[in-house]
Amino acid sequence: MAFGAGKKIIQKSYSGLAIHDEFIHFVELGDHSEVARKVSVALPEKCVVNGVIKDFNALEETFKALQKKIGKIRQPVTIGLPSGDTVIRRPLSFPRMSIEDIRSTIDLNFEEYFTSRADTTFDAVIIKTPADSSDKDKVSVLTATAKKSLVDKILEIAKKADIPAGAIEPLNFAMLRSMPEIKEGLCILASPHNIIVTWEGYGIFFRIVSNLNNFQDVLNTIQFIGTQYRHAQVSKIILAHVDFQLSTDSRMSIINVDDPYFSAIGLALRDGHEEGLDLRPAEYVELERRRYSFNPNRLMLWGLLAGFLMMSAGTISYAFLTMHKLNGEIENMQGTVSTLTIRRQALERENSQLENQRRHTEEILEFLKKDIPVLEILNALEVNMTDGIKYDNADFTLGPLGGVNVVVDGKARNDKEIITMTQGLKDSGLFDSVMLPVSQKDQLQRKVFKLVLRVKDMLVMRTGEAAHGK
């Protein structure tokens, strides 16, 4: 986990290396961010399949072939991992604090956000979403994870190929930097293995697909985002190296990107962007920082030490013991401050959770007062769920035009179970509409879905009349 991501801890990096299914692309930028050099090397068949690295030996040989083509590389190169080897989850909400404190909080409570801390490296960055303006005391945070063993292999391969590795970043996150078209409003970027939703240039939703070849997946993503951010409209769709064409109304523009190096350019542009991610392990980043950093205090210490040696051995011994004692006291004080900071962050987070629970309980009680047929709806959900489906949460909300919506968050083993449950709910007679959910896989390869139901207005009215004895 790279707690130093986004800061210039080594040297300025103006090079990017993107790992795709069939090629690795290398881009070197000049002083004014113009492209100085582009190099591409083909990958052996089945080395990378659907955005997942399968053959590390073949990848190492391709890295070495790239190094021979471009010669000696002096500046660290930002390396982009394929989208299938990383997980970028939907934005989390935190009390307004520094990104360092947020990373520490996530690390302390890691398994509350992800499945397991073992063999996992992560990083986080503060972003903007359409919902941020509603609460000035909160910030939205994007988090990304990868297997530590995989990241270690990439670092080892780069070292053997004599390619100095800078940050290691998810490829689908980095490619956004090369897209000036996404800097305004809500946009959709579709590439062969990714559908990304952006807001003001920030990625707010990342969906991985095996091989995008039709518009339906893009349409489903637009519908899903519409349920999350009701007041924002998609203004642009950017198609990057996809085989299908589409047309839309005048409110939404279509942009095609043909440059195969745009992902590598995004990696090279990482320098100067505070929203960069770095999936290198923390101990590796710290070792690199010490290797490249210049410490004037250390130089002064050696000068003083040489002077003391010239004066007398006794004076040197006394100075060394005194410094050792002071350093020990400083470390103890720093440890105490760090412990108190972590406790404060944990208390803030616990208070936030309790406040959210209170608000949620008040909302449920308010809906119960309105005589909404909650038990009847929940019973319909239970009846139509197979053994492989479970729902984590069912929220009842008032629609913008009145009426009642039910938003169900759940998990299933496969899409077939979701479709079967959806059809059963349509046939139950309780709902005016049942929106086919957009699903994605979690760490355990289960389908995570969000189902939106609209309760029939007549059902709400009938329940209200019965409660008043009409």
Side-chain angles (χ1 to χ4, degrees), residues 10-278:
I10 305 177
Q11 298 179 21
K12 289 187 177 181
S13 175
Y14 293 98
S15 301
L17 193 161
I19 304 174
H20 293 283
D21 278 9
E22 299 176 354
F23 296 87
I24 59 174
H25 296 313
F26 175 85
V27 167
E28 183 179 13
L29 301 181
D31 293 336
H32 301 288
S33 297
E34 76 278 9
V35 176
R37 185 164 47 164
K38 294 180 179 179
V39 180
S40 181
V41 179
L43 283 165
E45 186 178 0
K46 296 183 179 180
C47 178
V48 180
V49 180
N50 290 331
V52 178
I53 300 174
K54 298 292 186 181
D55 190 342
F56 289 93
N57 291 329
L59 183 65
E60 179 179 342
E61 294 303 316
T62 309
F63 269 49
K64 290 179 179 178
L66 173 69
Q67 196 276 334
K68 288 181 180 179
K69 289 184 71 172
I70 60 183
K72 182 67 174 179
I73 304 174
R74 300 189 181 278
Q75 297 289 337
V77 179
T78 302
I79 300 176
L81 287 182
S83 57
D85 280 325
T86 61
V87 175
I88 302 179
R89 66 165 297 163
R90 290 166 56 192
L92 300 171
S93 181
F94 281 88
R96 187 168 294 278
M97 64 178 80
S98 69
I99 187 61
E100 289 78 14
D101 289 342
I102 290 173
R103 291 188 182 107
S104 297
T105 301
I106 293 175
D107 193 32
L108 187 64
N109 305 278
F110 189 84
E111 294 187 355
E112 295 184 20
Y113 304 100
F114 303 96
T115 55
S116 174
R117 189 68 177 94
D119 192 28
T120 302
T121 180
F122 83 97
D123 199 10
V125 65
I126 295 175
I127 63 170
K128 295 179 182 178
T129 72
D132 287 343
S133 59
S134 62
D135 192 345
K136 300 298 184 181
D137 295 326
K138 301 279 187 179
V139 293
S140 295
V141 177
L142 197 70
T143 52
T145 65
K147 290 185 177 180
K148 182 178 180 297
S149 55
L150 180 142
V151 175
D152 289 340
K153 287 179 181 178
I154 297 297
L155 292 171
E156 182 180 359
I157 287 173
K159 183 177 180 180
K160 289 181 178 179
D162 201 21
I163 297 176
I168 292 188
E169 200 167 45
L171 195 60
N172 48 355
F173 178 88
M175 66 174 63
L176 300 179
R177 299 194 192 101
S178 63
M179 298 285 177
E181 297 88 353
I182 65 172
K183 299 303 181 183
E184 296 180 1
L186 192 66
C187 303
I188 302 290
L189 171 61
S191 64
H193 297 309
N194 297 278
I195 299 176
I196 306 172
V197 181
T198 68
W199 173 255
E200 302 295 339
Y202 294 90
I204 61 174
F205 178 74
F206 293 77
R207 180 182 175 190
I208 298 175
V209 293
S210 296
N211 192 6
L212 186 64
N213 54 21
N214 61 69
F215 182 58
Q216 187 59 46
D217 287 330
V218 178
L219 180 60
N220 290 342
T221 302
I222 293 175
Q223 292 174 344
F224 172 74
I225 288 299
T227 66
Q228 304 299 304
Y229 306 107
R230 300 181 183 275
H231 302 295
Q233 296 293 327
V234 175
S235 61
K236 296 177 186 175
I237 298 179
I238 302 171
L239 303 178
H241 302 288
V242 293
D243 295 331
F244 61 87
Q245 298 292 327
L246 58 90
S247 60
T248 183
D249 56 38
S250 58
R251 295 175 301 170
M252 194 182 304
S253 60
I254 308 298
I255 300 173
N256 289 282
V257 176
D258 297 321
D259 187 357
Y261 292 89
F262 77 98
S263 298
I265 291 174
L267 292 165
L269 287 172
R270 186 179 186 275
D271 180 73
H273 284 259
E274 294 183 356
E275 63 272 21
L277 291 170
D278 190 351

